[in-house]
Amino acid sequence: MRDSHIDALVEIVGERRCLWQPNQVRAYACDGYTAESGLPRAVVFPESTDEVAQICRYLYEHEIPYLPRGAGTGLSGGATPTGGQVVINLARMNRLLAVDFANLRAIVQPGLVNLTLTRRIAHEDCYYAPDPSSQSVCTIGGNFAENAGGSHCLKYGVTTNHIVAAKVVLPDGSVIDVGAPFGDAPGYDLLGLLVGSEGTLGIATEITVRILKKPQSLRTALAYFDRVADASDTVTDIIVAGIIPAAIEMMDQLAMQAVDKSNYHVGYPNDIEAVLLIEVDGLTAGVDDVMERVVELCRKHHVREVRVAQSDGERALWWSSRKMAFGAMGRLSPDYIVQDGVIPRTRLTEVLQKIEGISRRYGLRIANVFHAGDGNLHPLVLYDSRVPGEAERAVRAGSEVLRACVDAGGSITGEHGVGIEKIGEMAYMFSEDELQVQRAVKACFDGKGIVNAGKLIPLPGRCVEVKHAREIIDDHWQILNSFPDQAEVQVRAARAEKTAAKPTTSVQG
Amino acid sequence: MPLQSKPQPADTAEHLANVIGLHHVRVVPACTLHLHESSRDVCLVEPLNEEEVLAVLAYARDCGLSVLPYGAGRLLAYGPQAEAPDIWLSLRRMNHVVNLSQGDLIVSVEPGLTMAELASALAAAGLMLPYDPPAPADATLGGLLSAGLSGPRRALYGSLRDMAISLRVALLDGRVIRTGAKVVKNVAGYDMTKLFIGAWGTLGVITEITLKLRPLPMHRETVLVGGPLDALGQLRERIVQSALQPSRLEAVWQSASDQTRNWILAVDCDEHERAAQAQTQILESMARDLGLTVETLEQHAADTWWSEQRESLSANTACIRLQGQPTKLFSAMAQVMEAVSLLVENPHEISATIGGVTGVARIAFDPARASLADPSRWDQLRDVISASALEMVMERAPVAIRAQSAASPLAPGVIAVMQRLKQTFDPEHLLSPGRFLGGI
């Protein structure tokens, strides 16, 4: 329902850039993590830092919860309203503000699409290195919030290694500059803290990134292994041999079956356990030697067949086959959950065995696609939501996979973020002290605790959470009444929090 | 243990040694620990493990004593000048490699381990930390991390903030937190590791550091091109615009005496041999085009050359860091050097480097007595730098000069957030008081 707060937002951005009717805002009820959703109170589309600041200032002053959003491709619910928040959509702030080719820096607005930046600087043989699979649609602001990774971060690092400075609107609407385009900014590394904070500490409205010159040459190989252990040992051996490939990706048989049914048919043998996609880059004079070495190491570990791409077309097919792996799961199963655990690379074989055990115990197929070079696993738990109880089982199986990763000394998420999805697993990875300190850091930026609240860091007690949801319902009954499904969403969100806050055994030693 | 008044250093030492049972506790004048400190007596404690660190912090908190966590003490002339704290917490004895995983390219170390000690442990496993800060080889990792210093290798590998993935930190309230995770990729929770890098020990005491590593390059090759700075600036631009992949790209000051060759542009390559040779050939032809001469160093000779540069930058009593676009640094440097030469006794003892990719330049020198007595002489240098739209940081300097540049360069909004963070971790301001910015 339109009220004085909506009027105030319209005052800032105009009628056209403020959506508030239920049928208009429904598209913003969740991001790429679709298991939970909630209707926003309104969605606003600012076009400048000043507008973002005005919006934040107004909302903060009136204690109206809000959250930022980019393209909504996130996979953990970071941009999902839990109900009743104002969504600040940065999609219209999509300009490339400046490029300095002589010094290799670019300044972008947060809504600029990742791949668009690379395309716009390609004429000078430059590119932006972080390349999440969603790079053709995801925004650099979203990448900033999630500290996005990609296939090439083994050699080139993740988003935090490529963002050097930013203009940030803090929760209360004040604007600060953090980081330094060159060298280091004085004082605490606020930029480092903001990157990956999932929109809970502030909104970046101008982002300065490092751009790189394209490597002179690439060589890409595809290697088929009868046994996953051999593939895994090959990965370790390549790295121990002093070679840091630009990327090493692995898929298991189930994942191969899925992608071969998609538009990107490679024709993987149906009796191998693993395929490796290995890419090396650098000066033309050197890449063939390095690739030869890689092929040798594959052979040493009983590779069935190893091929080096003979054309750009072949290389593109292999990469598309890998990058479309998530989407291709639809060919095998109506629903799937994608996980994002990280393990020390040397424990790959052992953890894969554990995942196989989990798959058997839950009676659910799990396909494995991963950035093998940096130990970042993407197990895909396949399920059918039409079968009663199967979705819940899939969630539990996914959670167990993450715990197996933590038990191996790893992390619950390498690049997708915690969001809503993995908030329950945070307490498995971190001790209560560690979580409490992170909450205290949040309070340094957002004393009222209303900016993208309920994401990333689990709140201490579930009672508080349920009470919080009730307060929102009480405060905003007039809006909620106008959305028939809203109350239900609220209760669902509260229930999700409740489950998430269930005490779990921490492995903290 | 509420006490009426702050215990004297002797009482502190007595308590830490006899009640808590720490082995390495002494009372010493602060000036024996670092040249620039006062002659006031302080309590020096050298804990052997995290538990002992916590015991010291607990005592300090209970008695309201200030604590200075430090390593080898190599970087204590950095930052604003402040009174000598009550307890000097040296982490030098916590100097073990906790875990080295060759296949995972990860090492966990205690903070008192020096760069030299780490490098030799890693080399034995065929690994390296691609980090070459302008500091003596006996500077500790904890100290370097807290100072947030970076060197020429930042051009390709990033700075320590890109390599440190996980920490253990002892907080003043007795809690120990782990930040990040011991895997190369992790986004669970806030990236708390970043908060402690460059924090000068004002938020907590780091007790373990986990770092990402690289394999030792199979081949090292450095090309040195001598010439006047403007020609080297052109060469820099061609290199940056090419597909070459220098692991370091630094202009290094030689001397004022030979105008035709007073700078050297050093281009380092960590690629394997054939690629490095190709890179050298390309560089030779670029240099020839510009009428410049080239010398190539390989393997050990290249390593030695770089470590000499590092040492000469860390030897002098003052060091200025400039930051900005490399193109601007190259064009402004002649004027900057001229302004610096007015501040020194002997212009032949200036060391200077300009990062051609990093955009970080450093000038190290020994200020003349007259320039210390009359700080207004430094204004000309400041004017030249601000006219070039470069940022200047006084990295280390004698007390008189540091006192001069105490003004914080931070905007009020930024300082406010930093002060809230400080308040959260150290509400009594007991950790390294006054040695940071913005009164922290």
Side-chain angles (χ1 to χ4, degrees), chain A residues 81-95:
Chain A
T82 45
Q85 291 97 331
V86 171
V87 170
I88 300 179
N89 190 320
L90 298 147
R92 293 180 73 95
M93 291 180 68
N94 62 354
R95 286 165 48 214

Side-chain angles (χ1 to χ4, degrees), chain A residues 102 188 200 346 411 444 508, chain B residues 104 178 186 190 202 236 420:
Chain A
Y188 300 134
T200 63
T346 47
S411 167
C444 291
Q508 153 76 353
Chain B
D104 294 311
R178 299 161 311 163
N186 165 47
Y190 293 127
T202 57
R236 181 211 84 92
R420 286 199 291 274

